[in-house]
Amino acid sequence: MTTPRLITVDGPAGAGKGTLSKRLAAHFGYAHLDTGKLYRAVGLNTLAAGGDPATPVDAIAAAEALDSAAIASGGLQNPELAGDTAASAASKVAAIPEVRQVLLTFQRDFASNPPGSSSGAILDGRDTGTVVCPDAPIKFFITASAEERAKRRHKELLDRGEASIYPRVLADMKERDVRDSTRAIAPLKAADDARTIDTSELDADAVFAAALEFIASLS
Ligand code: C5P
């Protein structure tokens, strides 16, 4: 079998694409880029500079100031990136074309030159198989019902000791879905040649097994 060198994994928040991507990366020894973290970093940096994530000049300045070399060597570790403030700011900056353009270059560089000694790359996000790497040989679209995704997110927050109210988590999830799916540029959607896996009724092991089976079927 020819070892795949590029895998894209797209889908809405909380569907399990990050979990699958990390497992595939470990399995194949590929470098993994969580592209959502790039948007989150731009969103948080915009706020840190006193700007508004929905205002293009503010968000573009933050995107241009991202240190891509530091990011490529693992510089997206700030725990605040995982929070809901970052998530909400991210989905606002993500609707600005110039921000997407700056991040596009970074993501394509990562895909064509994965850092370290990795023999391939896995990118996960919203548009990695449609816009960033449309020629990727292996693409997944990982989805689940909004209710199931909100349930997982709610549990994750409670497990972390954070306050969480399920109806609010569900409402935020749906609001972000609408913003991501309806924006004019690079909206969230499955690539025509992506394998869709609905994880509503599957655990992480079953999703991983289904993904490996699909990859094996391509060789
Ligand atoms: O995946 P994550 O929840 O970290 O993404 C945060 C936000 O960043 C998403 O809601 C989306 O608006 C944006 N994003 C994007 N394109 C990507 C990855 C993330 O627009 N490839």
Side-chain angles (χ1 to χ4, degrees):
M1 157 178 168
T2 324
T3 309
R5 301 187 64 84
L6 182 58
I7 301 175
T8 62
V9 184
D10 291 311
K17 60 186 186 309
T19 304
L20 174 63
S21 300
K22 285 186 200 112
R23 288 185 74 165
L24 289 173
H27 182 81
F28 290 111
Y30 288 1
H32 170 221
L33 178 64
D34 172 352
T35 65
K37 278 198 176 168
L38 298 173
Y39 289 92
R40 285 168 181 261
V42 172
L44 272 191
N45 290 352
T46 306
L47 291 172
D52 170 9
T55 300
V57 284
D58 294 352
I60 295 164
E64 286 174 343
L66 271 192
D67 182 345
S68 52
I71 289 170
S73 57
L76 287 167
Q77 307 300 337
N78 176 359
E80 269 185 59
L81 289 174
D84 288 343
T85 304
S88 167
S91 79
K92 290 176 186 153
V93 302
I96 300 168
E98 292 89 342
V99 168
R100 300 201 73 84
Q101 191 55 45
V102 172
L103 298 187
L104 188 61
T105 308
F106 176 78
Q107 293 169 83
R108 285 187 177 154
D109 284 352
F110 187 100
S112 52
N113 286 307
S117 54
S118 309
S119 57
I122 299 192
L123 275 69
D124 87 69
R126 299 291 186 287
D127 64 339
T128 62
T130 50
V131 174
V132 181
C133 300
D135 296 331
I138 298 172
K139 300 178 184 177
F140 291 101
F141 190 78
I142 306 299
T143 188
S145 69
E147 287 72 17
E148 179 60 31
R149 292 184 288 114
K151 216 161 77 188
R152 292 175 191 168
R153 178 71 184 147
H154 177 59
K155 181 174 181 306
E156 188 186 310
L157 289 169
L158 294 180
D159 287 350
R160 265 202 253 145
E162 291 180 35
S164 178
I165 300 166
Y166 174 77
R168 188 169 302 160
V169 175
L170 179 61
D172 282 353
M173 192 71 88
K174 287 184 171 168
E175 188 186 312
R176 195 140 70 94
D177 283 354
V178 169
R179 199 150 50 207
D180 287 350
S181 313
T182 58
R183 66 179 176 226
I185 178 166
L188 169 66
K189 68 171 170 43
D192 290 340
D193 52 349
R195 165 57 60 106
T196 295
I197 303 176
D198 187 322
T199 70
S200 303
E201 313 266 327
L202 300 178
D203 67 14
D205 286 347
V207 175
F208 183 54
L212 287 184
E213 199 181 310
F214 175 64
I215 293 170
S217 76
L218 295 175
S219 59

